[in-house]
Short mmCIF file of all heavy atoms in Angstrom, two decimals:
data_model
loop_
_atom_site.label_atom_id
_atom_site.label_comp_id
_atom_site.label_asym_id
_atom_site.label_seq_id
_atom_site.Cartn_x
_atom_site.Cartn_y
_atom_site.Cartn_z
N ARG Q 6 -74.79 118.06 41.58
CA ARG Q 6 -73.97 117.04 40.91
C ARG Q 6 -73.51 117.54 39.54
O ARG Q 6 -72.34 117.39 39.17
CB ARG Q 6 -74.73 115.74 40.74
CG ARG Q 6 -73.92 114.68 39.99
CD ARG Q 6 -74.78 113.59 39.40
NE ARG Q 6 -75.75 113.10 40.33
CZ ARG Q 6 -75.63 111.95 40.99
NH1 ARG Q 6 -74.60 111.19 40.80
NH2 ARG Q 6 -76.56 111.58 41.83
N LEU Q 9 -70.78 120.06 39.99
CA LEU Q 9 -69.52 119.39 40.32
C LEU Q 9 -68.88 118.82 39.04
O LEU Q 9 -67.68 119.02 38.80
CB LEU Q 9 -69.75 118.27 41.33
CG LEU Q 9 -70.01 118.69 42.77
CD1 LEU Q 9 -70.61 117.53 43.56
CD2 LEU Q 9 -68.74 119.18 43.43
N GLN Q 10 -69.68 118.13 38.24
CA GLN Q 10 -69.16 117.52 37.02
C GLN Q 10 -68.66 118.58 36.04
O GLN Q 10 -67.61 118.41 35.42
CB GLN Q 10 -70.23 116.64 36.37
CG GLN Q 10 -70.52 115.40 37.17
CD GLN Q 10 -71.73 114.63 36.69
OE1 GLN Q 10 -72.65 115.18 36.10
NE2 GLN Q 10 -71.75 113.34 36.98
N SER Q 12 -67.49 121.47 36.71
CA SER Q 12 -66.33 122.22 37.22
C SER Q 12 -65.05 121.39 37.16
O SER Q 12 -63.95 121.93 37.33
CB SER Q 12 -66.59 122.71 38.64
OG SER Q 12 -66.77 121.63 39.51
N LEU Q 13 -65.17 120.11 36.91
CA LEU Q 13 -63.99 119.23 36.91
C LEU Q 13 -63.05 119.50 35.74
O LEU Q 13 -61.85 119.71 35.93
CB LEU Q 13 -64.43 117.77 36.92
CG LEU Q 13 -63.34 116.72 37.09
CD1 LEU Q 13 -62.55 116.95 38.37
CD2 LEU Q 13 -63.95 115.33 37.10
N MET Q 17 -59.12 120.81 35.69
CA MET Q 17 -58.05 119.98 35.15
C MET Q 17 -57.24 120.76 34.12
O MET Q 17 -56.01 120.66 34.09
CB MET Q 17 -58.64 118.71 34.53
CG MET Q 17 -59.20 117.76 35.55
SD MET Q 17 -60.13 116.38 34.81
CE MET Q 17 -58.80 115.45 34.09
N ASP Q 21 -55.51 122.98 38.52
CA ASP Q 21 -55.90 123.26 39.91
C ASP Q 21 -56.11 121.92 40.62
O ASP Q 21 -57.20 121.38 40.67
CB ASP Q 21 -57.18 124.10 39.92
CG ASP Q 21 -57.59 124.52 41.31
OD1 ASP Q 21 -57.06 123.97 42.29
OD2 ASP Q 21 -58.47 125.40 41.41
N LYS Q 22 -55.02 121.41 41.19
CA LYS Q 22 -55.04 120.08 41.79
C LYS Q 22 -55.99 119.97 42.97
O LYS Q 22 -56.63 118.94 43.17
CB LYS Q 22 -53.63 119.68 42.22
CG LYS Q 22 -52.69 119.46 41.06
CD LYS Q 22 -51.31 119.09 41.52
CE LYS Q 22 -50.38 118.96 40.33
NZ LYS Q 22 -49.02 118.64 40.76
N ASP Q 23 -56.09 121.02 43.78
CA ASP Q 23 -56.98 120.96 44.94
C ASP Q 23 -58.44 120.86 44.52
O ASP Q 23 -59.20 120.07 45.07
CB ASP Q 23 -56.78 122.19 45.84
CG ASP Q 23 -55.47 122.13 46.60
OD1 ASP Q 23 -55.01 121.01 46.91
OD2 ASP Q 23 -54.90 123.20 46.88
N THR Q 24 -58.83 121.65 43.52
CA THR Q 24 -60.22 121.59 43.05
C THR Q 24 -60.50 120.24 42.40
O THR Q 24 -61.54 119.63 42.66
CB THR Q 24 -60.52 122.74 42.07
OG1 THR Q 24 -60.34 123.98 42.77
CG2 THR Q 24 -61.93 122.66 41.53
N VAL Q 25 -59.59 119.76 41.57
CA VAL Q 25 -59.78 118.46 40.93
C VAL Q 25 -59.93 117.37 42.00
O VAL Q 25 -60.85 116.55 41.93
CB VAL Q 25 -58.60 118.13 39.98
CG1 VAL Q 25 -58.66 116.68 39.51
CG2 VAL Q 25 -58.59 119.08 38.79
N SER Q 26 -59.07 117.40 42.99
CA SER Q 26 -59.11 116.38 44.04
C SER Q 26 -60.42 116.40 44.81
O SER Q 26 -61.04 115.35 45.01
CB SER Q 26 -57.93 116.61 45.00
OG SER Q 26 -57.99 115.72 46.08
N VAL Q 27 -60.85 117.58 45.23
CA VAL Q 27 -62.05 117.65 46.06
C VAL Q 27 -63.32 117.39 45.25
O VAL Q 27 -64.25 116.76 45.75
CB VAL Q 27 -62.12 118.99 46.82
CG1 VAL Q 27 -62.51 120.14 45.93
CG2 VAL Q 27 -63.06 118.88 48.00
N VAL Q 28 -63.35 117.80 44.00
CA VAL Q 28 -64.53 117.53 43.17
C VAL Q 28 -64.63 116.03 42.88
O VAL Q 28 -65.71 115.45 42.97
CB VAL Q 28 -64.50 118.36 41.87
CG1 VAL Q 28 -65.54 117.88 40.88
CG2 VAL Q 28 -64.70 119.85 42.19
N ARG Q 29 -63.50 115.41 42.57
CA ARG Q 29 -63.52 113.96 42.34
C ARG Q 29 -63.96 113.21 43.60
O ARG Q 29 -64.72 112.25 43.53
CB ARG Q 29 -62.14 113.46 41.91
CG ARG Q 29 -61.85 113.73 40.46
CD ARG Q 29 -60.52 113.15 40.06
NE ARG Q 29 -60.30 113.28 38.63
CZ ARG Q 29 -59.14 113.16 38.05
NH1 ARG Q 29 -58.05 112.93 38.77
NH2 ARG Q 29 -59.03 113.29 36.75
N ALA Q 30 -63.47 113.65 44.75
CA ALA Q 30 -63.84 113.00 46.01
C ALA Q 30 -65.33 113.16 46.29
O ALA Q 30 -65.99 112.21 46.73
CB ALA Q 30 -63.02 113.57 47.16
N ALA Q 31 -65.87 114.34 46.03
CA ALA Q 31 -67.30 114.58 46.25
C ALA Q 31 -68.14 113.73 45.30
O ALA Q 31 -69.14 113.13 45.71
CB ALA Q 31 -67.63 116.06 46.08
N LEU Q 32 -67.73 113.66 44.03
CA LEU Q 32 -68.47 112.84 43.07
C LEU Q 32 -68.39 111.35 43.45
O LEU Q 32 -69.38 110.62 43.31
CB LEU Q 32 -67.94 113.06 41.65
CG LEU Q 32 -68.29 114.40 41.02
CD1 LEU Q 32 -67.50 114.63 39.74
CD2 LEU Q 32 -69.79 114.51 40.76
N ALA Q 33 -67.25 110.92 43.95
CA ALA Q 33 -67.11 109.52 44.38
C ALA Q 33 -67.98 109.24 45.59
O ALA Q 33 -68.60 108.17 45.68
CB ALA Q 33 -65.65 109.22 44.70
N ALA Q 34 -68.07 110.18 46.51
CA ALA Q 34 -68.92 110.00 47.69
C ALA Q 34 -70.39 109.90 47.28
O ALA Q 34 -71.14 109.10 47.83
CB ALA Q 34 -68.72 111.16 48.67
N ILE Q 35 -70.78 110.70 46.30
CA ILE Q 35 -72.16 110.64 45.79
C ILE Q 35 -72.40 109.28 45.13
O ILE Q 35 -73.41 108.63 45.38
CB ILE Q 35 -72.43 111.79 44.82
CG1 ILE Q 35 -72.41 113.14 45.57
CG2 ILE Q 35 -73.76 111.60 44.09
CD1 ILE Q 35 -72.35 114.35 44.66
N ALA Q 36 -71.46 108.84 44.30
CA ALA Q 36 -71.60 107.54 43.62
C ALA Q 36 -71.67 106.41 44.64
O ALA Q 36 -72.45 105.47 44.48
CB ALA Q 36 -70.44 107.32 42.65
N ASN Q 37 -70.87 106.49 45.70
CA ASN Q 37 -70.91 105.45 46.74
C ASN Q 37 -72.26 105.42 47.43
O ASN Q 37 -72.77 104.35 47.77
CB ASN Q 37 -69.80 105.67 47.77
CG ASN Q 37 -68.44 105.30 47.24
OD1 ASN Q 37 -68.31 104.59 46.24
ND2 ASN Q 37 -67.41 105.79 47.89
N ALA Q 38 -72.84 106.58 47.65
CA ALA Q 38 -74.15 106.65 48.31
C ALA Q 38 -75.25 106.08 47.42
O ALA Q 38 -76.27 105.62 47.93
CB ALA Q 38 -74.47 108.08 48.69
N VAL Q 76 -77.79 114.83 48.15
CA VAL Q 76 -76.53 115.18 47.49
C VAL Q 76 -75.86 116.33 48.25
O VAL Q 76 -74.65 116.31 48.51
CB VAL Q 76 -76.75 115.53 46.00
CG1 VAL Q 76 -75.49 116.11 45.38
CG2 VAL Q 76 -77.21 114.30 45.23
N GLN Q 78 -76.22 117.10 51.39
CA GLN Q 78 -75.73 116.60 52.68
C GLN Q 78 -74.39 115.88 52.51
O GLN Q 78 -73.49 116.02 53.35
CB GLN Q 78 -76.75 115.66 53.31
CG GLN Q 78 -77.98 116.36 53.81
CD GLN Q 78 -79.08 115.39 54.25
OE1 GLN Q 78 -78.89 114.18 54.24
NE2 GLN Q 78 -80.22 115.93 54.61
N ILE Q 79 -74.25 115.12 51.44
CA ILE Q 79 -73.00 114.40 51.18
C ILE Q 79 -71.87 115.39 50.94
O ILE Q 79 -70.78 115.27 51.51
CB ILE Q 79 -73.17 113.45 49.98
CG1 ILE Q 79 -74.10 112.30 50.35
CG2 ILE Q 79 -71.81 112.92 49.51
CD1 ILE Q 79 -74.61 111.50 49.17
N VAL Q 80 -72.12 116.40 50.11
CA VAL Q 80 -71.08 117.39 49.81
C VAL Q 80 -70.75 118.21 51.05
O VAL Q 80 -69.58 118.50 51.32
CB VAL Q 80 -71.51 118.28 48.62
CG1 VAL Q 80 -70.50 119.39 48.38
CG2 VAL Q 80 -71.66 117.43 47.36
N GLU Q 81 -71.76 118.55 51.83
CA GLU Q 81 -71.52 119.29 53.09
C GLU Q 81 -70.69 118.45 54.05
O GLU Q 81 -69.79 118.96 54.73
CB GLU Q 81 -72.84 119.69 53.73
CG GLU Q 81 -72.70 120.39 55.07
CD GLU Q 81 -71.92 121.69 55.03
OE1 GLU Q 81 -71.90 122.37 53.98
OE2 GLU Q 81 -71.29 122.04 56.06
N ARG Q 82 -70.95 117.16 54.11
CA ARG Q 82 -70.16 116.26 54.97
C ARG Q 82 -68.70 116.22 54.49
O ARG Q 82 -67.78 116.23 55.31
CB ARG Q 82 -70.78 114.86 55.00
CG ARG Q 82 -70.15 113.94 56.00
CD ARG Q 82 -70.93 112.65 56.22
NE ARG Q 82 -71.40 112.02 55.00
CZ ARG Q 82 -72.70 111.89 54.67
NH1 ARG Q 82 -73.63 112.35 55.47
NH2 ARG Q 82 -73.05 111.29 53.56
N GLU Q 83 -68.50 116.18 53.18
CA GLU Q 83 -67.14 116.22 52.63
C GLU Q 83 -66.43 117.52 53.04
O GLU Q 83 -65.26 117.51 53.40
CB GLU Q 83 -67.17 116.10 51.10
CG GLU Q 83 -67.55 114.72 50.59
CD GLU Q 83 -66.48 113.69 50.83
OE1 GLU Q 83 -65.30 113.96 50.54
OE2 GLU Q 83 -66.82 112.59 51.32
N ARG Q 84 -67.17 118.63 53.00
CA ARG Q 84 -66.61 119.93 53.38
C ARG Q 84 -66.22 119.93 54.86
O ARG Q 84 -65.12 120.34 55.23
CB ARG Q 84 -67.62 121.04 53.09
CG ARG Q 84 -67.06 122.45 53.30
CD ARG Q 84 -68.15 123.49 53.11
NE ARG Q 84 -69.05 123.55 54.24
CZ ARG Q 84 -68.78 124.20 55.38
NH1 ARG Q 84 -67.65 124.86 55.52
NH2 ARG Q 84 -69.65 124.21 56.37
N ASP Q 86 -65.59 117.36 56.74
CA ASP Q 86 -64.47 116.44 56.96
C ASP Q 86 -63.14 117.12 56.69
O ASP Q 86 -62.16 116.92 57.42
CB ASP Q 86 -64.60 115.20 56.06
CG ASP Q 86 -65.68 114.23 56.50
OD1 ASP Q 86 -66.23 114.41 57.61
OD2 ASP Q 86 -66.00 113.32 55.72
N ARG Q 87 -63.09 117.94 55.65
CA ARG Q 87 -61.86 118.65 55.32
C ARG Q 87 -61.52 119.72 56.36
O ARG Q 87 -60.35 119.90 56.70
CB ARG Q 87 -61.95 119.24 53.92
CG ARG Q 87 -61.59 118.19 52.90
CD ARG Q 87 -62.09 118.48 51.51
NE ARG Q 87 -61.71 117.40 50.62
CZ ARG Q 87 -62.25 116.20 50.62
NH1 ARG Q 87 -63.22 115.90 51.45
NH2 ARG Q 87 -61.85 115.27 49.77
N TYR Q 102 -50.33 121.30 54.55
CA TYR Q 102 -51.40 120.35 54.24
C TYR Q 102 -52.74 120.87 54.74
O TYR Q 102 -53.76 120.76 54.05
CB TYR Q 102 -51.08 118.98 54.86
CG TYR Q 102 -52.10 117.92 54.55
CD1 TYR Q 102 -52.32 117.50 53.23
CD2 TYR Q 102 -52.86 117.35 55.56
CE1 TYR Q 102 -53.27 116.53 52.95
CE2 TYR Q 102 -53.80 116.37 55.28
CZ TYR Q 102 -54.01 115.97 53.97
OH TYR Q 102 -54.96 115.02 53.69
N ARG Q 105 -54.13 123.34 52.31
CA ARG Q 105 -54.73 122.68 51.14
C ARG Q 105 -56.13 122.17 51.47
O ARG Q 105 -57.05 122.30 50.66
CB ARG Q 105 -53.85 121.52 50.66
CG ARG Q 105 -52.57 121.98 49.99
CD ARG Q 105 -51.80 120.85 49.36
NE ARG Q 105 -52.62 120.24 48.31
CZ ARG Q 105 -52.56 118.96 47.98
NH1 ARG Q 105 -51.75 118.14 48.61
NH2 ARG Q 105 -53.32 118.49 47.02
N LEU Q 106 -56.29 121.57 52.64
CA LEU Q 106 -57.60 121.07 53.05
C LEU Q 106 -58.61 122.22 53.20
O LEU Q 106 -59.77 122.09 52.82
CB LEU Q 106 -57.49 120.29 54.36
CG LEU Q 106 -56.77 118.94 54.26
CD1 LEU Q 106 -56.49 118.40 55.65
CD2 LEU Q 106 -57.58 117.96 53.44
N GLN Q 109 -59.71 123.23 49.78
CA GLN Q 109 -60.68 122.28 49.26
C GLN Q 109 -62.05 122.49 49.89
O GLN Q 109 -63.08 122.43 49.21
CB GLN Q 109 -60.20 120.84 49.49
CG GLN Q 109 -58.99 120.49 48.65
CD GLN Q 109 -58.47 119.10 48.93
OE1 GLN Q 109 -59.02 118.35 49.74
NE2 GLN Q 109 -57.39 118.73 48.27
N ALA Q 110 -62.09 122.75 51.20
CA ALA Q 110 -63.35 123.02 51.88
C ALA Q 110 -64.00 124.28 51.33
O ALA Q 110 -65.22 124.34 51.16
CB ALA Q 110 -63.13 123.15 53.39
N VAL Q 112 -63.68 125.42 48.26
CA VAL Q 112 -64.21 125.09 46.93
C VAL Q 112 -65.60 124.48 47.08
O VAL Q 112 -66.55 124.86 46.38
CB VAL Q 112 -63.26 124.13 46.17
CG1 VAL Q 112 -63.94 123.54 44.94
CG2 VAL Q 112 -61.98 124.86 45.78
N LEU Q 113 -65.74 123.54 47.99
CA LEU Q 113 -67.05 122.91 48.20
C LEU Q 113 -68.07 123.92 48.72
O LEU Q 113 -69.23 123.89 48.31
CB LEU Q 113 -66.92 121.72 49.16
CG LEU Q 113 -66.15 120.52 48.61
CD1 LEU Q 113 -66.06 119.42 49.67
CD2 LEU Q 113 -66.76 119.99 47.33
N LEU Q 116 -69.30 125.94 45.77
CA LEU Q 116 -70.22 125.17 44.93
C LEU Q 116 -71.57 124.98 45.62
O LEU Q 116 -72.62 125.05 44.97
CB LEU Q 116 -69.60 123.84 44.54
CG LEU Q 116 -68.36 123.93 43.64
CD1 LEU Q 116 -67.70 122.57 43.48
CD2 LEU Q 116 -68.70 124.52 42.29
#
Side-chain angles (χ1 to χ4, degrees):
R6 178 200 313 258
L9 285 163
Q10 291 170 334
S12 63
L13 187 57
M17 291 171 71
D21 185 347
K22 292 179 183 178
D23 288 329
T24 299
V25 170
S26 175
V27 75
V28 168
R29 281 183 174 163
L32 288 169
I35 293 166
N37 286 343
V76 171
Q78 289 172 4
I79 291 165
V80 175
E81 177 61 28
R82 188 169 44 246
E83 288 290 313
R84 187 185 76 80
D86 287 350
R87 277 160 181 73
Y102 182 64
R105 289 188 62 211
L106 290 169
Q109 292 177 2
V112 167
L113 292 179
L116 294 171

